[in-house]
Amino acid sequence: MIATLGITFPIFATIGIGYLLTARGVLNQEALQAMGRFVMMLAMPALMFKALASSDARDVINLDYLLVYALGGLSCILVTALWFRRIVQDPATLGIAVLGSTIANSAFVGYPIFLMILPEQAGIILALNFLVEVVLLIPMCLFLVDMGKPGQHRPILHHIAGVLLSVLRRPLMIGLLLGLGVSLLGIELPAPFTRLTELFAGATTVLALIVVGGSLVGTSRKNHGTLAAQISVAKLILHPALVASIAALLMTFGLATLPPELHMALVVSAAMPMFSIYAVFAQEAGQAHMASAAMLTATLASYVTVNGVLMIFQ
């Protein structure tokens, strides 16, 4: 138990340092935004490219992992949509609640944790999670949000195509596709270029965690307690429970084969708090404060839930 807590302590301690630095005025929101943009537009794409380009394509395209994570996410979308429909009247707010319950912080929290527990596979796990989240789960959740906005009458296929096109333009997806292409083609990259990508990729972990901690400054749980708490419960407990159940079901009937480390990675990934820009998406629906409260609650509580999942697999 002590060993498990020690694995995740540096991760959450760094988040706490980011919070303290921002609360003390050493960092401000402008600095955090700049750091976040650097991570998302350069450091994380370099990390994604490096992880995939240096790996065997057979390890990268793990269909069983993708299947379980996708089915777990889709199940979470369905269950939480039915759940929150009973307490939320506004369709856009319903979509925001489902979004926070389903999309994990694979990049800013998940990757640093996997770098500690599965260092050789951390980049591949991030790529697999990211592929399911940005191609399937996030577009579906944003579709629910957009359908709740007034004047939204575009054909469904046109709307989905627009979301997918915007996804393909993101630096993270470009890094993923380029790295996958290099892996599939078996291209050997020049050593100087490899060292360059390693240099930028190495900046990812600490900066990402500092941004997560700093973004929590000024967030309050007051006046948003009920809905924010339920979103946090759905994200930290329901989502990993659904992923674990689907993995067990498919493995029992021989429909999926997962080595122990990837089985653990699936459930731990789902147990992460919601992604860091959750409040940005919620702002368009007028629910930024509620989303920030949910993110604060989930991030604090995830130290318990993530360690709990790790202990189960030890």
Side-chain angles (χ1 to χ4, degrees):
M1 177 176 177
I2 299 299
T4 302
L5 293 175
I7 290 173
T8 57
F9 173 77
I11 307 300
F12 288 92
T14 306
I15 292 175
I17 291 171
Y19 182 93
L20 291 175
L21 289 174
T22 306
R24 295 284 184 177
V26 178
L27 297 174
N28 54 29
Q29 292 302 319
E30 289 76 14
L32 291 173
Q33 290 173 7
M35 292 166 62
R37 285 194 297 268
F38 171 78
V39 170
M40 294 301 292
M41 298 192 70
L42 190 56
M44 193 67 72
L47 165 67
M48 195 77 70
F49 176 83
K50 171 183 172 293
L52 298 184
S54 60
S55 302
D56 191 318
R58 291 172 296 181
D59 296 327
V60 174
I61 308 175
N62 190 311
L63 296 180
D64 290 343
Y65 187 103
L66 294 172
L67 175 65
V68 174
Y69 198 59
L71 290 178
L74 292 173
S75 300
C76 192
I77 289 175
L78 176 61
V79 172
T80 54
L82 295 173
W83 174 1
F84 289 115
R85 188 178 179 184
R86 301 169 61 90
I87 61 174
V88 174
Q89 302 301 320
D90 175 40
T93 302
L94 171 64
I96 291 299
V98 173
L99 182 69
S101 303
T102 307
I103 310 302
N105 199 334
S106 298
F108 281 20
V109 179
Y111 173 73
I113 288 179
F114 288 123
L115 200 59
M116 300 285 290
I117 61 176
L118 297 170
E120 298 298 323
Q121 296 174 288
I124 294 176
I125 292 168
L126 172 62
L128 291 169
N129 291 350
F130 181 75
L131 189 61
V132 173
E133 289 164 356
V134 302
V135 174
L136 179 64
L137 301 182
I138 292 178
M140 289 197 66
C141 292
L142 293 183
F143 176 75
L144 292 176
V145 175
D146 286 349
M147 288 300 99
K149 295 179 181 178
Q152 192 63 247
H153 302 297
R154 286 190 298 169
I156 292 178
L157 291 179
H158 184 264
H159 178 83
I160 293 175
V163 172
L164 290 177
L165 183 60
S166 67
V167 166
L168 290 174
R169 292 174 177 171
R170 295 179 180 273
L172 274 172
M173 180 57 72
I174 293 173
L176 186 152
L177 293 176
L178 288 176
L180 185 59
V182 169
S183 178
L184 288 172
L185 296 174
I187 298 173
E188 186 173 349
L189 298 173
F193 182 80
T194 301
R195 287 195 291 270
L196 177 64
T197 58
E198 290 175 350
L199 183 65
F200 281 103
T204 301
T205 305
V206 172
L207 287 180
L209 294 173
I210 292 295
V211 170
V212 170
S215 66
L216 298 177
V217 175
T219 300
S220 172
R221 287 172 289 179
K222 295 180 180 179
N223 303 323
H224 304 284
T226 302
L227 183 56
Q230 291 188 50
I231 294 172
S232 299
V233 169
K235 182 69 212 64
L236 299 179
I237 298 178
L238 176 64
H239 189 195
L242 288 171
V243 170
S245 299
I246 290 172
L249 184 65
L250 294 181
M251 292 171 68
T252 298
F253 288 97
L255 299 176
T257 302
L258 293 167
E261 61 273 13
L262 289 185
H263 187 192
M264 176 182 68
L266 275 166
V267 185
V268 173
S269 295
M272 298 296 164
M274 61 280 293
F275 61 143
S276 296
I277 56 172
Y278 175 48
V280 176
F281 286 102
Q283 188 173 13
E284 297 181 4
Q287 294 294 335
H289 293 296
M290 182 278 296
S292 296
M295 190 170 70
L296 173 63
T297 303
T299 302
L300 294 175
S302 64
Y303 183 69
V304 176
T305 58
V306 170
N307 279 302
V309 172
L310 287 174
M311 289 177 189
I312 292 174
F313 282 94
Q314 292 300 315

